[in-house]
Amino acid sequence: VVFRPFCMPGPFRFSDRLEEASKTEAKLAMDMQHCCGLGRQHAQGNKFGPSPVDASFVSQMSGAWGFDHVSVYSAPMPTDHDTKLHQIVVLREFSREDDVDESYVRLECVPSVGLLYQRIYTLQIPKATSQSSMDCRMTVYGYRIADVLDEWLSRTKLPEHTDSARFVEDILRTCNLHDAHAKYLEGVHGELEEWHRKQVEKERAQKVAALSVAAGAVLLCSIQ
């Protein structure tokens, strides 16, 4: 009597394991979108969550009078909610009238997703930690922020793991506040590189484990 455990035909089982291993990178991108509130409805520009920066928004920013205050936040990484290394910058819109409620523009660059924005009326960012909140030395005209957005939109390569910090760095440089954040940003870049290295090692180990199981299943079926 030949013992036959649960065993599908070799080629089918092996391809299943390969497919499972290949889905890792796609899942990471999906996690990034869900973390930032980018479900299908948000990708179309839902006003209740961050929306993709497009030419229309860049035009709005170009026509804005200016911004006079900058806040920087660290938020959970899209694929690792326990690690707060994702960088967000919030700009306060300048107003000539004292009785007008303050309004802000939240900007961020999400790896494998792109630039996002959201108009908000409070400096409270859910799940994020404030790192700095500073007045600009002089009002920064809207077209200067628009130039930064336009330059990032022109890039054909999807944002990488360090680009949330690089984007914030470009905004701070435009607002003449880069020097005040230089040490902080240097530390963030180093931490992001270390985090990415560990993520790559983790993904590699998962793929190797999946392929090993697949190979074992094929071998088991072939000897029966």
Side-chain angles (χ1 to χ4, degrees):
V1 177
V2 179
F3 174 71
R4 296 181 181 276
F6 66 98
C7 184
M8 301 297 293
F12 175 80
R13 175 60 65 182
F14 185 65
S15 63
D16 270 2
R17 292 297 182 177
L18 284 177
E19 182 179 357
E20 177 184 341
S22 67
K23 287 180 178 179
T24 303
E25 293 183 2
K27 183 178 183 302
L28 289 176
M30 287 295 293
D31 287 343
M32 289 178 180
Q33 294 182 17
H34 290 309
C35 171
C36 299
L38 275 181
R40 182 174 302 174
Q41 68 273 25
H42 288 116
Q44 297 173 353
N46 190 302
K47 64 181 180 180
F48 297 109
S51 301
V53 171
D54 55 15
S56 176
F57 176 70
V58 173
S59 178
Q60 294 175 34
M61 293 294 284
S62 183
W65 175 262
F67 303 89
D68 60 3
H69 189 91
V70 179
S71 300
V72 176
Y73 297 81
S74 57
M77 294 294 288
T79 56
D80 181 1
H81 299 176
D82 295 326
T83 303
K84 286 189 174 182
L85 288 176
H86 178 64
Q87 302 300 299
I88 298 172
V89 63
V90 176
L91 308 175
R92 183 176 67 190
E93 296 190 59
F94 173 78
S95 175
R96 294 180 175 180
E97 302 178 17
D98 296 332
D99 59 345
V100 176
D101 292 337
E102 292 184 343
S103 60
Y104 307 87
V105 176
R106 166 182 172 172
L107 298 170
E108 60 191 298
C109 180
V110 181
S112 298
V113 175
L115 297 185
L116 305 180
Y117 80 93
Q118 184 180 15
R119 295 189 181 278
I120 56 179
Y121 297 93
T122 175
L123 284 175
Q124 299 298 319
I125 305 296
K127 300 181 181 180
T129 300
S130 175
Q131 297 296 337
S132 70
S133 188
M134 304 177 64
D135 287 332
C136 300
R137 296 169 185 171
M138 59 186 301
T139 301
V140 180
Y141 294 120
Y143 76 85
R144 297 192 61 199
I145 302 299
D147 286 345
V148 176
L149 299 177
D150 197 43
E151 193 278 325
W152 275 80
L153 285 180
S154 67
R155 303 183 182 188
T156 57
K157 187 178 181 181
L158 282 175
E160 298 180 342
H161 60 283
T162 57
D163 281 342
S164 73
R166 295 186 190 282
F167 172 69
V168 169
E169 194 169 8
D170 284 352
I171 294 292
L172 291 172
R173 186 175 288 108
T174 300
C175 297
N176 294 316
L177 292 175
H178 179 267
D179 290 348
H181 295 81
K183 186 174 181 180
Y184 167 73
L185 290 169
E186 181 181 357
V188 169
H189 279 297
E191 291 182 79
L192 281 169
E193 291 291 4
E194 178 63 16
W195 173 86
H196 180 66
R197 183 187 65 78
K198 291 180 179 179
Q199 290 297 306
V200 171
E201 291 179 352
K202 180 180 178 180
E203 291 171 32
R204 184 181 296 116
Q206 290 174 341
K207 290 181 179 180
V208 169
L211 290 173
S212 296
V213 172
V218 171
L219 178 62
L220 182 62
C221 291
S222 66
I223 62 178
Q224 295 178 13

